[in-house]
Amino acid sequence: MTIMPENAAEKLLFALDVDALAKATPFIEALSPYVGCFKIGLELMNAVGTPQAVQHVLRHGGQVFADCKLNDIPNTVRGASRVISAMGVKYFNVHASSGIEAIKAAAEEKGSAKLLVVTVLTSLDDTASQGIFGKTARDKVLDFANEAIEGGADGLICSSQELELLGPIPEFKNLLKVTPGIRPTWAQSDDQKRTMTPKEAIQAGATHLVIGRPISNPPRGIGSPIDAAKAILEEISSCQL
Ligand code: C5P
């Protein structure tokens, strides 16, 4: 089964890693037809304010993934989730390490948004994961995936390396699996270390890809950000599932 072009765009989440609304505008206006969402993160949220950032994307025709990474006691996560989901975002997220009660609180307040659970940050190696969680990253991701389901979340943020671990487990079949660290063969790796191409990640089970610099700053041979997004959509559409 191949992926239809309109479904391919839904799977592409563009990382809007900028620190000012004026820098965001050209990307939103150019890329809205080609991406499912604009992921706004801690940089833009703290630079201009989360409501302002969300409204800016919505006003310019985009949809929003609020990469707010909530990590607090359940009551505070509940309140923040209520406020963020009411802004009209499509996705927002909570750290699994906040605990199952915080995930449940976020899920109860998610409204029409989809709740994603951040598992083990890909910047943590096994030594760091052992130190923080007492388990390797792979083992802890499985624990967090179970908690995401029990807590009523819609999906996970995970590295492409974990997709093959999660894929065969029937309980995780319906979870969204949102994966950063994606690099088309034509892009430079930047500071991403363990990358997969869009095609590899989709075939390994990713439902959505977070991609920033290969689109915002593509190599000259690819062309503009629109050309880069189109090339990635073609690659996604070429996947056989
Ligand atoms: O530019 P690039 O494609 O590397 O952007 C990836 C986006 O995904 C960035 O916003 C980055 O912060 C985010 N991210 C990541 N790795 C994680 C979690 C989030 O690259 N483990």
Side-chain angles (χ1 to χ4, degrees):
M1 191 178 68
T2 52
I3 297 171
M4 302 300 286
E6 59 272 24
N7 296 335
E10 277 301 303
K11 293 179 176 295
L12 180 54
L13 312 182
F14 173 65
L16 193 55
D17 288 327
V18 293
D19 61 4
L21 295 180
K23 294 180 190 171
T25 310
F27 287 120
I28 308 166
E29 290 181 341
L31 295 172
S32 287
Y34 306 103
V35 304
C37 256
F38 293 85
K39 181 180 84 68
I40 59 170
L42 297 175
E43 183 180 359
L44 190 60
M45 289 171 176
N46 283 294
V48 306
T50 306
Q52 290 83 348
V54 171
Q55 285 311 316
H56 190 76
V57 175
L58 296 177
R59 261 204 316 274
H60 287 82
Q63 300 205 67
V64 178
F65 168 9
D67 188 9
C68 48
K69 295 197 172 71
L70 303 178
N71 194 2
D72 213 314
I73 60 171
N75 187 56
T76 304
V77 168
R78 175 182 300 283
S81 299
R82 186 165 56 239
V83 170
I84 292 164
S85 62
M87 290 177 195
V89 304
K90 195 166 173 189
Y91 304 98
F92 70 104
N93 56 12
V94 59
H95 269 285
S97 55
S98 311
I100 183 82
E101 293 307 323
I103 298 173
K104 281 184 183 166
E108 283 166 16
E109 300 293 343
K110 72 189 174 79
S112 59
K114 296 221 183 289
L115 174 65
L116 304 172
V117 168
V118 180
T119 57
V120 179
L121 292 173
T122 49
S123 51
L124 302 179
D125 61 14
D126 273 339
T127 310
S129 180
Q130 285 279 6
I132 298 168
F133 303 120
K135 288 191 175 183
T136 63
R138 286 169 72 89
D139 287 347
K140 199 61 203 172
V141 165
L142 289 177
D143 289 352
F144 282 155
N146 280 312
E147 288 186 13
I149 290 175
E150 198 186 330
D154 298 285
L156 306 174
I157 317 274
C158 61
S159 90
S160 55
Q161 317 296 321
E162 283 137 19
L163 292 169
E164 59 183 15
L165 177 73
L166 298 165
I169 300 174
E171 289 78 6
F172 302 155
K173 189 171 180 293
N174 293 327
L175 279 177
L176 303 178
K177 297 174 194 88
V178 179
T179 307
I182 302 297
R183 286 293 178 271
T185 51
W186 44 260
Q188 58 187 31
S189 57
D190 303 305
D191 53 355
Q192 297 284 9
K193 297 216 166 51
R194 294 178 302 150
T195 61
M196 276 193 185
T197 65
K199 188 171 185 172
E200 285 167 344
I202 294 284
Q203 293 195 322
T207 60
H208 297 77
L209 309 177
V210 175
I211 306 183
R213 287 162 291 181
I215 295 174
S216 61
N217 187 25
R220 200 170 292 163
I222 290 293
S224 68
I226 292 178
D227 295 323
K230 282 182 173 171
I232 292 169
L233 294 183
E234 268 178 38
E235 187 172 335
I236 294 173
S237 300
S238 74
C239 290
Q240 294 290 333
L241 295 182

